[in-house]
């Protein structure tokens, strides 16, 4: 196991109450859990997001911390937060990374895996059942 490592899981959700499909605005939330699975305490310093809508429009978002915080996680500790975004299409993707610093001053990036933002679940080809995203 790497000495410096954060494990990241994402739970996206469509927000109908914060959407206006007739105006091509779709609201989404995503809940992220960051777990320090490394051997050294480390702090999440900054975020970098790449957000793509279904038309191929790309937006990059960079900033310090997450939801106004820069959590310091000891080995085995986790941090969970919810944030959101709006798209001009009912579907899109997000991915990115967190810039982190270990208590030993080692800098590292923790990759945020690509996840799908989907306002309306579409049937899987051939089986007629709705898709469920986890």
């Amino acid at each position: 196991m790497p000495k410096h490592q954060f494990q990241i899981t994402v739970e996206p959700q469509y927000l109908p109450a914060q959407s206006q499909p007739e105006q091509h605005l779709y609201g989404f939330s995503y809940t992220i859990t960051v777990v320090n699975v490394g051997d050294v305490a480390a702090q999440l310093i900054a975020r970098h997001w790449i957000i793509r809508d279904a038309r191929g429009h790309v937006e990059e978002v960079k900033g310090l911390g997450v939801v106004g915080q820069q959590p310091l996680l000891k080995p085995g500790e986790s941090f969970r937060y919810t944030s959101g975004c709006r798209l001009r299409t009912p579907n899109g993707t997000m991915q990115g990374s967190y810039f982190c610093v270990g208590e030993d001053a080692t800098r590292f990036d923790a990759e945020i895996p690509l996840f799908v933002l989907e306002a309306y679940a579409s049937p899987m080809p051939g089986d007629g059942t709705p898709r469920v995203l986890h």
Side-chain angles (χ1 to χ4, degrees):
M1 171 184 346
K3 188 175 178 181
H4 304 92
Q5 184 176 359
F6 280 179
Q7 179 182 47
I8 299 159
T9 56
V10 184
E11 301 165 39
Q13 183 176 1
Y14 172 57
L15 303 172
Q18 294 183 22
S19 299
Q20 299 169 308
E22 66 284 353
Q23 295 180 13
H24 303 287
L25 291 174
Y26 301 87
F28 298 91
S29 70
Y30 49 90
T31 300
I32 296 189
T33 304
V34 179
V35 181
N36 184 345
V37 294
D39 297 327
V40 176
Q43 186 171 16
L44 189 159
I45 302 297
R47 69 192 181 283
H48 176 209
W49 284 110
I50 300 169
I51 306 166
R52 288 184 178 86
D53 71 14
R55 292 188 187 119
H57 174 77
V58 177
E59 183 178 349
E60 285 195 62
V61 177
K62 295 181 179 183
L64 292 175
V66 291
V67 295
Q69 299 183 53
Q70 293 179 315
L72 173 64
L73 302 175
K74 296 177 184 171
E77 288 186 336
S78 65
F79 178 77
R80 185 174 172 93
Y81 73 95
T82 300
S83 190
C85 73
R86 291 179 94 180
L87 297 179
R88 293 205 158 275
T89 61
N91 303 311
T93 62
M94 287 182 69
Q95 68 187 92
S97 62
Y98 296 127
F99 171 69
C100 307
V101 177
E103 70 178 357
D104 61 359
T106 299
R107 299 171 182 212
F108 66 99
D109 289 320
E111 295 299 316
I112 305 164
L114 181 131
F115 59 96
V116 175
L117 302 170
E118 190 168 46
Y120 310 109
S122 58
M124 293 294 286
D127 71 359
T129 59
R131 286 193 336 191
V132 177
L133 300 177
H134 297 278

